[in-house]
Amino acid sequence: MIPKVMTTADIEKAFDLIAEHVDSVEEGKRMLFLAKACLCLANLVGNADRVRDVLDACAQDL
Amino acid sequence: MHNPVSEPRPSVFYTYAIHDPFNPASIKGDDSAKVVIVGAGPIGMTTALHLARFGIPSVVLEQELQVSHGSRALALTRRSYEILEQAGVVDRFLSKALPWRSGNSFYRDKQVFRMELPHDDDERFFPVTNLQQQYIEEYLADAIKDNPLIELRWGCKVTSMEQQPDKVRLRVDTPFGEYTLTTGWLIAADGGRSAIRKALNLRMEGTSYVGNFVIADIKADLPLPTERLCYFDPEWSPGNNALIHRAPDNIWRFDFRLPEGTTAEQALVPAYLHDKIERILEMIGHPVPWELDWATVYSASALTLGEYIHDRVIFVGDAAHVLPIFGVRGANTGFQDCENLAWKLALVEKGIANRSLLETYSSERVRAAREICDEAGKTTRFMTPPSFGFRLMRDAVLSLSLSQDFPRDLLHWRTSRPHVYTGSPLNSFPEDDARFDGGVACGQSACNVKLDDGSYLLSHMRAGFHLICFSEGGAEDQELPRLLAAARQANIPVVTIRISRSSPQARPGDADIVLHDSNGRIAKKYAAIPGAAYLLRPDLHVCARWRQTKADKFDAALRVASGQNTGSVQ
């Protein structure tokens, strides 16, 4: 389980920002945009094992 | 009847010499050799030269009558130059080759990565030096011609081989007919498509990568420095990449990935090749006249045999492993094979060491190849992504690198470096090794140092083990005569070197070589206090070191490192 470390308000803010940015990127570039975002956020998380946990969690229930 | 090409190969910069084919009529009686090396490429010939250093004669069989068609090898590392220096051939290389240490990667017309390979005044050789394989082979063949222990037979193709107890029997075809040659050891240096490997039905392990690349060597007058240039996702070939290297004689190597679906045959059609070379010249802003020298198509593989010694057959170089071109790993890995093998085979052949020493050639070099396969694989999957996910992340890194620093190191192509034989059964006294604060650890290759007289430490090394003693005339000197005497009394050659800051004058009964370390540079690089000692294997890798030592410890370490004692030594 990914621990909740942000306030609900901040998570909601991040939710809005990601959605708005995905919408603003041209359709054929959205995958690339999300890959860049993942790599930048992984760098800020600063721990490859935690990145793996996040990716494993995201791969569930698609 | 074997009929090698007897016309000089075409080239716009290199004049091929045709060598006389070997005539078996010159053989009187049974033809046999202690060692036969199949393949007079850079690795086969360097193996012969290194064996000769240790007094082992060899016969080198080459099926062609001239040196390499085109240049597969080009960039040799510092470590390779150190190995060529030991073989006694390096000066000629230096007079022709182009040294370099920098690389630039570009994406969308912007430089996104620049790397400077480490280099300082203590190094005799640059991190990388470019020289075409034709010159490499010519210089080695000339050195062999002058070496009475080596016979290079041109126009000799091995047609069959049979392993017998303690020997290998070869049938060899020549333009004059076949003959039989028997040898105690067969060294297969016959390249990536090794016929010897196929004859033994040996399979390689590892990964072959998708994607074809073209190498096109052109002659052109380009005003660019000797550096590695890499262009990702060029406009003329979206999603692919192109590399540029400079070589002597105004030769430039263009290396580019083919779009998916383009075959090797299509890529080598002159009109296709012409168009791509023009586009690369346009991309770099120098649309100058050019002539094509040679072109070929390759795909990246990271493959190795799991065992390099099969009874009396020993594999070296590309015959043993096929490695990706990225990171200059092909020939540079092979040179380390020859250096590792030669002294071990010599000690076994002379009956000083048992076969277990030779087995460490295989264990050490297979381990090195596996590590290189793993590392080269990381570079290769960036250059030629094998799947949607890897391509997406490669593109993400490139896109981010235009504005962000943090992912730029992922553009590093991980250049070949000397292997470290950590954990080798030839190392001993690990606790003493751990007592050093830095220096050159067990398993590492000895580092170079520029001496007061302008020479370099490694240039003083000879054929044999080396015992390096740091001595300043204090209490530590009491043990020194016993150490030097033990080295002299050893049943294998041990060259002794005394390094001193304060007392460089040779004394009665002194070491074979006395080096003045006036400003303590050697001591600093080796983290050595007075009384410290290093034992180097003949391939110049450290196998034991002590901050303070005694003659019996040296004796024990030498026995371990020379395969005369298989027990562990603490």
Side-chain angles (χ1 to χ4, degrees):
Chain A
M1 184 70 75
I2 304 295
K4 185 177 177 185
V5 295
M6 293 167 83
T7 63
T8 300
D10 273 350
I11 290 174
E12 196 161 35
K13 191 173 171 186
F15 174 95
D16 291 347
L17 286 168
I18 294 168
E20 286 159 14
H21 274 74
V22 168
D23 284 343
S24 71
V25 171
E26 68 175 276
E27 207 171 322
K29 299 286 185 188
R30 285 172 179 164
M31 186 77 85
L32 178 63
F33 166 77
L34 287 170
K36 288 174 69 177
C38 275
L39 200 58
C40 287
L41 292 169
N43 175 57
L44 293 179
V45 165
N47 181 315
D49 288 334
R50 289 177 67 191
V51 171
R52 183 191 290 117
D53 291 344
V54 168
L55 294 172
D56 288 346
C58 294
Q60 290 177 28
D61 308 318
L62 292 173
Chain B
M1 191 88 80
H2 175 49
N3 279 312
V5 175
S6 56
E7 294 297 315
R9 305 184 198 282
S11 171
V12 299
F13 77 97
Y14 186 79
T15 305
Y16 282 89
I18 299 295
H19 298 273
D20 292 333
F22 175 74
N23 188 342
S26 63
I27 302 168
K28 292 175 182 66
D30 291 341
D31 194 21
S32 64
K34 265 193 194 338
V35 176
V36 167
I37 298 169
V38 179
I43 305 310
M45 288 194 280
T46 305
T47 302
L49 288 166
H50 271 270
L51 282 170
R53 289 179 71 218
F54 298 103
I56 300 296
S58 62
V59 170
V60 182
L61 303 178
E62 169 55 49
Q63 61 179 357
E64 301 294 339
L65 299 176
Q66 51 195 319
V67 298
S68 168
H69 187 195
S71 176
R72 287 176 294 280
L74 177 68
L76 301 191
T77 60
R78 174 183 292 142
R79 184 76 190 113
S80 293
Y81 268 74
E82 288 169 358
I83 293 166
L84 291 168
E85 181 184 42
Q86 292 297 308
V89 296
V90 83
D91 290 342
R92 209 166 158 205
F93 281 71
L94 290 178
S95 67
K96 182 78 182 175
L98 295 176
W100 58 276
R101 58 173 301 204
S102 309
N104 294 308
S105 296
F106 300 91
Y107 177 58
R108 293 188 187 165
D109 297 329
K110 187 176 172 187
Q111 182 178 310
V112 288
F113 180 70
R114 178 171 174 84
M115 200 184 77
E116 296 279 344
L117 295 165
H119 186 63
D120 62 41
D121 286 348
D122 278 332
E123 300 295 351
R124 182 177 178 201
F125 308 113
F126 262 68
V128 196
T129 308
N130 288 354
L131 182 65
Q132 291 94 331
Q133 188 165 343
Q134 293 95 324
Y135 290 116
I136 296 173
E137 292 184 4
E138 177 190 328
Y139 299 166
L140 291 169
D142 283 350
I144 280 177
K145 213 184 295 174
D146 294 337
N147 194 312
L149 290 180
I150 310 170
E151 183 188 356
L152 171 49
R153 297 178 179 177
W154 297 94
C156 286
K157 182 180 182 180
V158 175
T159 54
S160 68
M161 55 167 287
E162 186 190 342
Q163 295 223 51
Q164 299 175 341
D166 299 333
K167 63 184 174 189
V168 182
R169 191 169 168 273
L170 300 169
R171 285 294 289 167
V172 183
D173 199 6
T174 77
F176 301 100
E178 289 197 11
Y179 68 102
T180 300
L181 174 60
T182 306
T183 183
W185 299 98
L186 177 67
I187 298 180
D190 53 345
R193 297 192 180 97
S194 170
I196 305 289
R197 194 177 67 222
K198 283 179 191 145
L200 290 178
N201 202 23
L202 301 174
R203 296 185 70 92
M204 298 178 107
E205 59 181 66
T207 308
S208 291
Y209 294 88
V210 293
N212 282 328
F213 292 79
V214 171
I215 286 178
D217 286 347
I218 65 163
K219 184 166 189 170
D221 195 5
L222 287 172
L224 298 173
T226 311
E227 291 185 339
R228 176 196 193 263
L229 302 177
C230 179
Y231 295 83
F232 286 102
D233 195 29
E235 273 182 26
W236 55 273
S237 188
N240 297 310
N241 43 52
L243 293 163
I244 298 176
H245 275 288
R246 184 181 170 199
D249 299 338
N250 270 353
I251 298 296
W252 295 83
R253 165 154 299 181
F254 291 176
D255 183 343
F256 55 92
R257 187 175 192 269
L258 288 172
E260 273 169 36
T262 306
T263 66
E265 292 72 25
Q266 290 166 333
L268 294 176
V269 169
Y272 183 93
L273 211 49
H274 185 275
D275 176 63
K276 295 295 173 274
I277 291 168
E278 289 281 325
R279 283 167 183 266
I280 292 173
L281 289 167
E282 202 175 298
M283 175 182 74
I284 61 175
H286 298 290
V288 298
W290 56 274
E291 283 179 278
L292 180 68
D293 183 65
W294 173 76
T296 191
V297 174
Y298 71 93
S299 59
S301 297
L303 303 169
T304 179
L305 289 171
E307 170 62 58
Y308 292 169
I309 303 176
H310 294 264
D311 199 2
R312 290 265 161 177
V313 180
I314 304 172
F315 289 86
V316 292
D318 286 358
H321 41 69
V322 180
L323 300 169
I325 198 166
F326 316 112
V328 299
R329 293 161 197 286
N332 292 303
T333 303
F335 282 120
Q336 293 181 55
D337 292 342
C338 335
E339 194 200 29
N340 188 299
L341 171 63
W343 67 273
K344 295 175 180 175
L345 184 56
L347 285 182
V348 172
E349 181 58 28
K350 288 175 178 175
I352 296 168
N354 61 41
R355 192 174 163 123
S356 68
L357 178 68
L358 192 56
E359 300 294 344
T360 68
Y361 160 70
S362 186
S363 59
E364 289 184 343
R365 295 309 299 162
V366 169
R367 186 172 165 182
R370 284 179 177 148
E371 284 183 24
I372 293 164
C373 285
D374 187 43
E375 197 167 88
K378 288 176 183 163
T379 307
T380 306
R381 72 190 187 197
F382 201 86
M383 302 299 283
T384 177
S387 66
F388 176 84
F390 280 102
R391 177 172 289 268
L392 177 67
M393 292 313 296
R394 194 274 308 265
D395 291 346
V397 167
L398 287 171
S399 178
L400 275 171
S401 65
L402 290 168
S403 62
Q404 307 297 319
D405 278 336
F406 84 86
R408 285 183 179 151
D409 282 345
L410 295 180
L411 297 166
H412 184 354
W413 64 94
R414 297 180 173 87
T415 311
S416 166
R417 55 176 189 265
H419 187 73
V420 180
Y421 298 121
T422 306
S424 166
L426 306 184
N427 298 343
S428 56
F429 297 98
E431 287 170 9
D432 288 85
D433 181 36
R435 283 193 191 104
F436 278 77
D437 182 14
V440 186
C442 265
Q444 291 183 328
S445 62
C447 63
N448 220 347
V449 182
K450 191 170 188 179
L451 308 179
D452 296 349
D453 63 1
S455 66
Y456 293 86
L457 175 63
L458 298 186
S459 307
H460 290 272
M461 302 303 185
R462 302 174 188 170
F465 282 82
H466 289 79
L467 176 65
I468 304 178
C469 303
F470 292 82
S471 135
E472 297 300 342
E476 76 278 2
D477 268 16
Q478 289 177 4
E479 184 63 17
L480 189 61
R482 284 188 283 274
L483 266 175
L484 296 177
R488 272 190 288 271
Q489 286 159 12
N491 62 347
I492 50 176
V494 180
V495 180
T496 51
I497 302 177
R498 183 170 67 84
I499 291 171
S500 177
R501 193 171 184 164
S502 56
S503 55
Q505 280 71 41
R507 312 180 287 224
D510 211 335
D512 300 317
I513 301 167
V514 179
L515 297 176
H516 190 197
D517 189 26
S518 68
N519 45 25
R521 284 167 83 156
I522 307 176
K524 191 176 174 194
K525 273 214 163 177
Y526 284 78
I529 56 171
Y534 275 73
L535 181 61
L536 307 186
R537 309 171 358 167
D539 55 13
L540 304 185
H541 282 261
V542 176
C543 54
R545 61 175 182 167
W546 308 268
R547 279 164 62 86
Q548 299 289 332
T549 192
K550 298 245 179 235
D552 59 342
K553 287 189 170 186
F554 157 76
D555 275 333
L558 186 65
R559 279 199 308 278
V560 171
S562 58
Q564 298 177 84
N565 177 354
T566 51
S568 69
V569 176
Q570 300 295 319

